Amino acid sequence: MTTSLQRVFSGVQSTGNLHLGNYLGAIVKFVELQKSFECLYCVVDLHAITVPQNPTELRNNTREIAAAFLACGIDPKKNIVFNQSQVPEHAELAWVLNCVARIGWLNRMTQFKDKAGKDRENASVGLLDYPVLMAADILIYRATHVPVGDDQKQHLELARDIAQKFNNDFSESISRNSFGEAFFPLPEPLISGPATRVMSLRDGTKKMSKSDISDYSRINLADDADQIAQKVRKAKTDPEPLPSEEKGLEGRPEADNLVGIFAALSGRTKADILSEFGGTNFSNFKNALVDVAVAKLAPITARMREIRADETYVDTILRDGSERARSIARENMNAVKDIVGFLR
Ligand code: TYM
């Protein structure tokens, strides 16, 4: 077993609508990385149930995310596309890692604090434990690279801490079992580009999110051209014209966000966009942004609907992907069992 293999893993929760933040912050990179890495892309349904889910909707959302992966250009033959609950080794490794991670580490996670709100005592244990399962998702494949949006940075740091502590705690057993110095590679977050943190269209200081009550705060991958146009036109701005240089975006979160979205969708830099639109008012810029967004997203939306309509096809992809994922996961879980001291 070698650790020199470079392997990409990432996941998206099967909750509600996928939005522009998910697309630009994560999925665009998934598509890019398949050119040079062995990649596993997972619909994380075990994570979804850390908050209550309707079973029928959960199944539908899992298929919807898988359809979005394929519609955006992820090749399910070249990569492994699957859903987490079909590979029981994720939960199995999570248990072992629960005994490595410290409660204090989890209590510091800002996403838990945000999601649990004031009534922490009433949050599910799963919500607190969420980042340990996330570490298990990555480490069960001994993945080396993890493309995510900026909001997952802290979780990735925790995954590295857990990997490191496991390697240290079991160092003797790891070398006795001939796994070299370290069993788990420390996974590297891949967070780059102009849209690592896409903000709400209603409030440039808040992240674009599936859970925002206002649908006008986000562009969903399922939105049609009219909805996209309406949302962009209604997006909050400020009264000043656009600046000609990036520095002028400082202290103007809404302008910065829209320029970042434009840049990411068009594959241009923010500086380039500003050299074109600097000094003009927002209405021109917004019209151009609608054109860019519709040109990029409409074909994806159409393809997503088409794929989603063929439930058998989507389920087959996920089942096949899960089997392939499982053959890697099982081998690594067996190694973990030997390292930890479980009979098998
Ligand atoms: P999730 O489902 O919330 O989001 C999926 C991906 O989209 C990114 N993202 C954003 N990027 C930019 N701007 C935004 N406004 C924005 N909102 C979301 C997220 O950073 C993420 O990359 N915990 C993860 C799922 C997960 C996972 C993993 C990821 C489970 N196990 C293992 C990587 C590796 C999550 O909830 O993502």
Side-chain angles (χ1 to χ4, degrees):
M1 199 175 297
T2 104
T3 48
S4 61
L5 179 72
Q6 303 222 308
R7 183 178 278 154
V8 165
F9 180 93
S10 198
V12 175
Q13 285 201 68
S14 43
T15 42
N17 279 331
L18 269 185
H19 54 70
L20 195 61
N22 302 127
Y23 176 67
L24 295 176
I27 302 176
V28 166
K29 290 177 202 148
F30 298 179
V31 177
E32 189 58 31
L33 288 162
Q34 66 183 343
K35 292 184 198 144
S36 30
F37 286 91
E38 177 193 318
C39 303
L40 293 108
Y41 295 127
C42 182
V43 187
V44 295
D45 46 7
L46 297 178
H47 277 105
I49 65 160
T50 54
V51 295
Q53 298 292 336
N54 169 301
T56 305
E57 277 174 26
L58 180 61
R59 267 186 290 273
N60 284 335
N61 285 334
T62 300
R63 292 181 178 122
E64 180 96 11
I65 307 288
F69 282 174
L70 306 181
C72 290
I74 293 170
D75 177 353
K77 292 209 171 70
K78 189 168 183 296
N79 307 284
I80 299 182
V81 174
F82 71 109
N83 64 306
Q84 193 185 25
S85 61
Q86 290 204 62
V87 183
E89 285 78 8
H90 288 238
E92 202 176 356
L93 178 62
W95 179 256
V96 174
L97 299 183
N98 272 334
C99 301
V100 174
R102 307 288 91 183
I103 292 173
W105 299 358
L106 294 179
N107 277 332
R108 281 197 288 278
M109 294 293 114
T110 53
Q111 203 157 85
F112 171 69
K113 289 187 213 166
D114 289 348
K115 283 196 180 168
K118 289 208 175 74
D119 197 7
R120 258 207 227 183
E121 293 290 307
N122 206 24
S124 72
V125 176
L127 195 65
L128 177 67
D129 200 32
Y130 180 112
V132 178
L133 177 60
M134 185 165 156
D137 295 339
I138 300 164
L139 299 177
I140 193 67
Y141 302 102
R142 301 170 90 198
T144 51
H145 295 83
V146 185
V148 281
D150 184 65
D151 62 331
Q152 297 300 317
K153 198 171 169 191
Q154 195 185 30
H155 288 162
L156 257 293
E157 279 159 11
L158 184 88
R160 290 169 64 91
D161 289 344
I162 293 174
Q164 178 101 60
K165 187 165 188 303
F166 180 95
N167 289 341
N168 288 345
D169 289 356
F170 294 101
S171 60
E172 261 178 48
S173 181
I174 288 170
S175 55
R176 210 175 322 115
N177 282 283
S178 318
F179 292 121
E181 290 274 291
F183 178 69
F184 288 127
L186 303 190
E188 235 179 84
L190 300 176
I191 306 172
S192 62
T196 55
R197 193 172 185 83
V198 178
M199 308 307 277
S200 157
L201 300 181
R202 309 300 294 160
D203 176 353
T205 62
K206 260 173 57 186
K207 191 181 71 163
M208 185 178 283
S209 139
K210 293 172 190 173
S211 54
D212 196 315
I213 42 167
S214 166
D215 199 47
Y216 276 94
S217 69
R218 63 186 161 259
I219 292 174
N220 302 307
L221 283 196
D223 285 348
D224 61 27
D226 286 346
Q227 286 168 308
I228 294 176
Q230 255 186 359
K231 288 177 178 179
V232 171
R233 297 214 170 95
K234 281 200 176 208
K236 187 177 168 198
T237 50
D238 57 41
E240 302 296 318
L242 278 158
S244 304
E245 285 172 13
E246 260 188 278
K247 211 168 172 320
L249 291 172
E250 276 169 24
R252 299 179 65 185
E254 284 84 16
D256 189 22
N257 187 39
L258 293 178
V259 172
I261 290 174
F262 199 134
L265 282 172
S266 58
R268 293 163 63 186
T269 61
K270 283 186 181 180
D272 192 28
I273 307 294
L274 292 176
S275 72
E276 184 180 342
F277 292 97
T280 68
N281 63 24
F282 276 97
S283 65
N284 258 346
F285 169 81
K286 279 186 171 177
N287 286 338
L289 178 54
V290 169
D291 290 346
V292 169
V294 170
K296 189 84 190 178
L297 300 179
I300 295 176
T301 310
R303 181 98 188 97
M304 210 168 120
R305 287 216 184 100
E306 223 176 85
I307 297 171
R308 178 65 191 86
D310 191 348
E311 213 148 86
T312 315
Y313 172 69
V314 177
D315 290 2
T316 307
I317 297 280
L318 291 174
R319 206 172 306 116
D320 169 67
S322 300
E323 272 167 26
R324 286 157 59 208
R326 217 178 160 192
S327 74
I328 307 171
R330 202 180 290 124
E331 191 187 342
N332 287 336
M333 193 63 220
N334 280 340
V336 168
K337 287 181 178 174
D338 292 345
I339 290 167
V340 171
F342 294 155
L343 290 174
R344 63 181 179 93

